Every structure is written in structure tokens, then in C-alpha cells.
Amino acid sequence: MKNTYIPITMEVEKNYFETSDRMIKTLRLKFLDERFDFEPGQFCEFSILGKGEAPFGIASSPFDKAGLEFSINRAGVVTKAIHELRIGEKVGIRGPLGNYYPVKEMEGYNVVVIGGGFAFTTLRSLIEYMLNPERRGKYKSIKVIYGARNPGLLLYKDLLENWEKRDDIGTYFTIDTKVEGWNKMVGFVPTITEEVAPSPENCYAIVCGPPIMIKFTLPVLLKLGFPKDKIVTSLERRMKCGIGKCGRCNLGEFYVCNDGPVFNFEQLEKLPKEV
Ligand SMILES: Cc1cc2nc3c(=O)[nH]c(=O)nc-3n(C[C@H](O)[C@H](O)[C@H](O)COP(=O)(O)OP(=O)(O)OC[C@H]3O[C@@H](n4cnc5c(N)ncnc54)[C@H](O)[C@@H]3O)c2cc1C
Ligand code: FES
């Protein structure tokens, strides 16, 4: 069995700013000698020699077999080093880690994906997975509600445009306050969710975003009638090993790295209040 502490080597193939504030970069890494498959919602530990290691959700589609994409916010030591990487440089990747969105259980269901800000990374992976011709027939309607503070902070703008043109996915993109040239929705994600009012009938809600967005979106979904076990989210927690050994990510009865990062709200309700 492969040693889960040893990263595989990958090469930076693309590297570009994703948002207008230049705080988020998307990196495409190419597999070299070793490779792995993954499911939507899983993450990797990304390491740079001499700098350290940090966890990031995989943003690309599991059907994209040649590499992996990550969208990374510059926060501290490791993320600054990642932003400074150049094309052709080598990095270490341990993964895939953690559980994933319940893509098998969701088969035959409608799905509403609700995202905010740069937490949209693994939701992109999930949506691209569900839209793949091999998978699209497995799901009924797919709706995407996605918001950011302003248009420049929305991730994956080209992809969002492509989704808007398709007739097999409903898109509701929003920004917090009106700006000139923006002709889509305006308002916070919880308010827009209430406006769109997705039916809870035979439907999963997959929610990912800043804690404040999740805090106010959950009551809306409950009011609309979504059962707690059909509301799913992904937790970000400080991590070290990423494989359930060090205890760094412990939360109640769970290790977020191993038992999560994906949980439904029935599970989260049993956890200590800090979630
Ligand atoms: C499962 C998972 C998936 C993630 N996916 C992404 C992703 O797709 N894109 C992305 O940009 N980030 C993601 N993160 C967060 C990312 O791991 C942290 O931003 C990163 O570890 C910061 O490393 P650093 O060395 O640059 O910062 P540090 O120098 O360690 O810290 C800089 C600042 O960031 C804070 N910080 C560090 N880690 C976290 C954390 N996990 N939560 C809250 N605050 C933190 C510190 O308190 C400090 O204030 C994810 C985290 C987890 C656990
Ligand atoms: S990060 Fe080590 S147990 Fe989860």
C-alpha cells in the first residue's frame, strides 16, 4: 500500500489570478509519474519544500484525468509560497484525502448547489462532475446559487458563462450590492435562496461558503422544508496530517480530515457549538 505520508510530485502547468483583488490564484498541476483518481469534495495536502504543507479542496472535475486544479487564497506562509510558484516548478501533493459529496446517494434527486465567495472550489468540481455526459442523466434538475461581494470576486467566470448557456442547469448568480454593468441578481446568498425557493421535494442542498453565509442559509433551507440529512456542507478546519493521526482537526466525535470534510446538518447538530 502507498505510504500516505509521502507526497507525489506534480508540476505547475498553469497559474493565474482568479479574482480582481489578486488574492486568489488558480493553479493547474500536471501529473507526472504517479497519479490518482478522486471524488468531488475531496482535498489534498499541498507542500512546498522549505515552506510547509496546507490542505486545499480539489477544484477540477474528477473526469479531468491529466491533472488537478486548486484555487488558493493568499493567507500566510504556504499560500504565499504557492502564489509565487512559476510554470514548470515541482510541488508535493498528498491525496486524495477525506470523504466526498454524496454523489451516489444524490442519484435520482434534484440538486441545489449554494456557494459563496472562494469556498466555491469543490462545488465547481461537484457541478462539473454532475454535468459530465456520463453522469448528467443520474441527476434530475441542477440549480446553482452562487454569490460574491462583487463581480470581480466570483470564481471561474468563463465556466459560469458556459453554465448559463446550458438548458440542463439553472443558474442564479448574485453580488452583495448593485454595481454598474451587472445585470444578474443582487443580494446576499441566503436572501437569494429564499427568492429562488428551490423545492425540497426529492432534493439535496449542497452548501459551501463563509460561516456567516452558512449560518443564515441553513434556516432558509429548513423553512423551505429541506430535511437536515439532505443539507450537506464541507468544513474547513485547521489540519496537519490530513489522515486522522495527529488529532489537530478533532471536532466532537469526528476527525474532520478523515470523517469529513463533508457532513450533513444532522451530523453537525450533534457537534460542539463552535462549528
Ligand atoms: C479541507 C480544507 C479545504 C480547504 N480548501 C481551500 C481552498 O480550496 N482554497 C483555499 O484558499 N483555502 C482552502 N483551505 C484553507 C487553507 O488550508 C488555509 O488557508 C491554509 O492552510 C493557510 O496556510 P498558510 O500557511 O498560508 O497560512 P498560515 O501562515 O498557517 O496562517 C495564515 C492565517 O490563516 C489562518 N488559517 C490558516 N489555516 C486556516 C484554516 N483552515 N481555517 C481558517 N483560518 C486558517 C491562520 O489563523 C492565520 O491567521 C482549506 C482548508 C481545509 C481544511
Ligand atoms: S489533521 Fe491530523 S487528525 Fe485530522
Coordinates of all heavy atoms in Angstrom, one line a residue, residues 24 43 53-58 70-80 118 121-122 234-239 256 261, ligand 1:
I24 N -6.6 35.5 -5.0 CA -6.9 34.1 -5.3 C -6.3 33.7 -6.6 O -6.5 34.3 -7.6 CB -8.4 33.7 -5.3 CG1 -8.9 34.0 -3.8 CG2 -8.6 32.3 -5.7 CD1 -10.3 33.9 -3.7
F43 N -10.0 16.6 -0.8 CA -8.9 17.6 -0.7 C -7.5 17.0 -0.8 O -7.4 15.7 -0.7 CB -9.1 18.5 0.5 CG -8.8 17.8 1.8 CD1 -7.5 17.9 2.5 CD2 -9.8 17.0 2.5 CE1 -7.3 17.2 3.7 CE2 -9.5 16.4 3.7 CZ -8.3 16.5 4.3
E53 N 3.2 22.6 4.4 CA 2.1 21.9 3.8 C 0.8 22.4 4.2 O 0.6 22.8 5.4 CB 2.2 20.4 4.2 CG 1.5 19.4 3.4 CD 1.6 18.0 3.9 OE1 1.5 17.8 5.2 OE2 1.8 17.1 3.1
A54 N -0.2 22.5 3.4 CA -1.5 23.0 3.7 C -2.6 22.3 2.9 O -2.3 21.9 1.8 CB -1.6 24.5 3.5
P55 N -3.8 22.1 3.5 CA -4.9 21.4 2.8 C -5.7 22.4 1.9 O -6.0 23.5 2.2 CB -5.8 20.9 3.9 CG -5.6 21.9 5.0 CD -4.2 22.5 4.9
F56 N -6.1 21.8 0.7 CA -6.9 22.6 -0.3 C -7.9 21.6 -1.0 O -7.4 20.5 -1.4 CB -6.0 23.3 -1.3 CG -5.1 24.3 -0.7 CD1 -3.7 23.9 -0.6 CD2 -5.5 25.5 -0.3 CE1 -2.8 24.8 0.1 CE2 -4.6 26.4 0.4 CZ -3.3 26.0 0.5
G57 N -9.1 22.1 -1.1 CA -10.1 21.3 -1.8 C -9.7 21.2 -3.3 O -9.2 22.2 -3.9
I58 N -10.0 20.1 -3.9 CA -9.7 19.9 -5.4 C -10.8 20.6 -6.2 O -12.0 20.3 -6.0 CB -9.6 18.5 -5.8 CG1 -8.6 17.7 -4.9 CG2 -9.2 18.4 -7.3 CD1 -8.5 16.2 -5.1
F70 N -6.4 23.8 -8.2 CA -6.7 24.3 -6.9 C -6.9 25.8 -7.0 O -6.1 26.4 -7.8 CB -5.6 24.0 -5.9 CG -5.3 22.6 -5.7 CD1 -4.4 21.9 -6.5 CD2 -6.0 21.9 -4.7 CE1 -4.1 20.6 -6.3 CE2 -5.7 20.5 -4.5 CZ -4.8 19.9 -5.3
S71 N -7.8 26.4 -6.3 CA -7.9 27.9 -6.2 C -7.5 28.3 -4.8 O -8.2 27.9 -3.9 CB -9.3 28.4 -6.6 OG -9.5 28.0 -8.0
I72 N -6.5 29.1 -4.7 CA -5.9 29.3 -3.4 C -5.8 30.8 -3.0 O -5.2 31.6 -3.7 CB -4.5 28.7 -3.5 CG1 -4.7 27.1 -3.6 CG2 -3.7 29.0 -2.2 CD1 -3.5 26.3 -3.7
N73 N -6.4 31.0 -1.9 CA -6.4 32.4 -1.3 C -5.1 32.6 -0.5 O -4.6 31.8 0.2 CB -7.6 32.5 -0.3 CG -7.7 33.8 0.3 OD1 -7.6 34.9 -0.3 ND2 -7.9 33.8 1.7
R74 N -4.4 33.8 -0.8 CA -3.2 34.1 -0.1 C -3.5 34.4 1.3 O -4.1 35.5 1.6 CB -2.4 35.2 -0.8 CG -1.0 35.2 -0.5 CD -0.2 36.2 -1.3 NE -0.6 37.5 -0.8 CZ -0.7 38.6 -1.6 NH1 -0.5 38.5 -2.9 NH2 -1.1 39.8 -1.1
A75 N -3.1 33.5 2.3 CA -3.4 33.8 3.7 C -2.2 33.9 4.5 O -2.1 34.7 5.4 CB -4.3 32.6 4.2
G76 N -1.2 33.1 4.3 CA 0.0 33.1 5.2 C 1.2 32.4 4.4 O 1.4 32.6 3.2
V77 N 2.0 31.7 5.2 CA 3.3 31.2 4.7 C 3.2 30.3 3.5 O 3.8 30.6 2.4 CB 4.1 30.5 5.8 CG1 5.4 30.0 5.3 CG2 4.3 31.4 7.0
V78 N 2.4 29.3 3.6 CA 2.4 28.3 2.5 C 1.7 28.9 1.3 O 2.1 28.8 0.1 CB 1.7 27.0 3.0 CG1 1.6 26.0 1.8 CG2 2.5 26.3 4.1
T79 N 0.6 29.6 1.5 CA -0.2 30.1 0.4 C 0.5 31.2 -0.3 O 0.4 31.3 -1.5 CB -1.6 30.6 0.9 OG1 -1.5 31.4 2.0 CG2 -2.5 29.4 1.3
K80 N 1.3 32.0 0.4 CA 2.2 33.0 -0.3 C 3.2 32.3 -1.2 O 3.4 32.7 -2.3 CB 2.9 33.8 0.8 CG 3.8 34.9 0.2 CD 4.3 35.8 1.3 CE 5.2 36.9 0.8 NZ 6.5 36.4 0.4
F118 N -14.9 32.4 -2.1 CA -13.9 31.5 -2.7 C -14.1 30.0 -2.2 O -13.3 29.2 -2.5 CB -12.5 32.0 -2.6 CG -11.9 32.0 -1.2 CD1 -11.2 30.9 -0.8 CD2 -12.0 33.1 -0.4 CE1 -10.7 30.8 0.5 CE2 -11.5 33.1 0.9 CZ -10.8 31.9 1.3
T121 N -14.8 26.3 -4.5 CA -13.8 25.4 -5.2 C -14.3 23.9 -5.4 O -14.4 23.5 -6.6 CB -12.5 25.3 -4.5 OG1 -12.7 24.9 -3.2 CG2 -11.8 26.7 -4.5
T122 N -14.7 23.3 -4.3 CA -15.1 21.9 -4.5 C -16.5 21.8 -5.1 O -16.9 20.8 -5.6 CB -15.0 21.1 -3.2 OG1 -15.8 21.7 -2.2 CG2 -13.6 21.0 -2.7
S234 N -19.3 21.3 3.6 CA -17.9 20.9 3.8 C -17.3 21.8 4.8 O -17.3 23.1 4.6 CB -17.2 21.0 2.4 OG -15.9 20.6 2.6
L235 N -16.6 21.3 5.8 CA -16.0 22.1 6.8 C -14.5 22.4 6.5 O -13.8 21.5 6.1 CB -16.1 21.4 8.2 CG -17.4 21.2 8.8 CD1 -17.2 20.6 10.2 CD2 -18.2 22.5 8.9
E236 N -14.1 23.6 6.9 CA -12.7 23.9 6.8 C -12.2 23.9 8.2 O -12.7 24.7 9.1 CB -12.4 25.2 6.2 CG -12.3 25.1 4.7 CD -11.7 26.4 4.1 OE1 -11.0 27.2 4.8 OE2 -11.9 26.5 2.9
R237 N -11.2 23.2 8.6 CA -10.7 23.2 9.9 C -9.2 23.1 9.9 O -8.6 22.6 8.9 CB -11.2 21.8 10.5 CG -11.0 21.6 12.0 CD -12.2 22.1 12.8 NE -11.9 22.0 14.2 CZ -12.3 22.8 15.1 NH1 -13.0 23.8 14.8 NH2 -12.0 22.6 16.4
R238 N -8.5 23.7 10.8 CA -7.0 23.6 10.8 C -6.6 22.2 10.8 O -7.1 21.4 11.6 CB -6.5 24.3 12.1 CG -6.7 25.8 12.1 CD -5.9 26.5 11.0 NE -5.4 27.7 11.5 CZ -4.1 28.0 11.7 NH1 -3.2 27.1 11.5 NH2 -3.8 29.1 12.2
M239 N -5.7 21.8 9.9 CA -5.3 20.4 9.8 C -3.8 20.3 9.8 O -3.1 21.2 9.4 CB -5.8 19.8 8.5 CG -7.3 19.6 8.5 SD -7.9 18.8 7.0 CE -9.7 18.9 7.3
V256 N -12.1 15.9 11.3 CA -12.7 16.5 10.1 C -12.0 15.9 8.9 O -12.6 15.7 7.8 CB -12.7 18.0 10.2 CG1 -13.1 18.6 8.9 CG2 -13.5 18.5 11.3
P261 N -14.2 16.1 5.0 CA -14.7 17.3 5.5 C -16.2 17.5 5.2 O -16.8 18.5 5.6 CB -13.9 18.4 4.7 CG -13.5 17.7 3.4 CD -13.3 16.3 3.8
Ligands
LIG1 C1 -10.4 20.6 3.8 C2 -9.9 22.0 3.6 C3 -10.0 22.5 2.3 C4 -9.5 23.8 2.0 N1 -9.6 24.3 0.8 C5 -9.2 25.5 0.5 C6 -9.2 26.0 -0.9 O1 -9.7 25.4 -1.8 N2 -8.7 27.2 -1.1 C7 -8.1 28.0 -0.1 O2 -7.6 29.1 -0.4 N3 -8.0 27.6 1.2 C8 -8.5 26.3 1.5 N4 -8.4 25.9 2.8 C9 -7.8 26.7 3.8 C10 -6.3 26.6 3.7 O3 -5.9 25.3 4.1 C11 -5.6 27.6 4.6 O4 -5.8 28.9 4.1 C12 -4.1 27.4 4.6 O5 -3.8 26.2 5.4 C13 -3.3 28.6 5.1 O6 -1.9 28.2 5.1 P1 -0.8 29.3 5.2 O7 0.5 28.6 5.6 O8 -0.7 30.1 4.0 O9 -1.3 30.2 6.4 P2 -0.8 30.3 7.9 O10 0.5 31.0 7.9 O11 -0.8 28.9 8.5 O12 -1.9 31.2 8.5 C14 -2.3 32.4 8.0 C15 -3.6 32.9 8.6 O13 -4.7 32.0 8.1 C16 -5.4 31.4 9.2 N5 -5.7 30.0 8.8 C17 -4.8 29.0 8.4 N6 -5.5 27.9 8.2 C18 -6.8 28.1 8.4 C19 -8.0 27.3 8.3 N7 -8.0 26.1 7.9 N8 -9.2 27.9 8.5 C20 -9.2 29.2 9.0 N9 -8.1 30.0 9.1 C21 -6.9 29.5 8.8 C22 -4.4 31.5 10.3 O14 -5.0 31.5 11.6 C23 -3.7 32.8 10.1 O15 -4.4 33.9 10.5 C24 -8.9 24.6 3.1 C25 -8.8 24.1 4.3 C26 -9.3 22.8 4.6 C27 -9.1 22.2 6.0

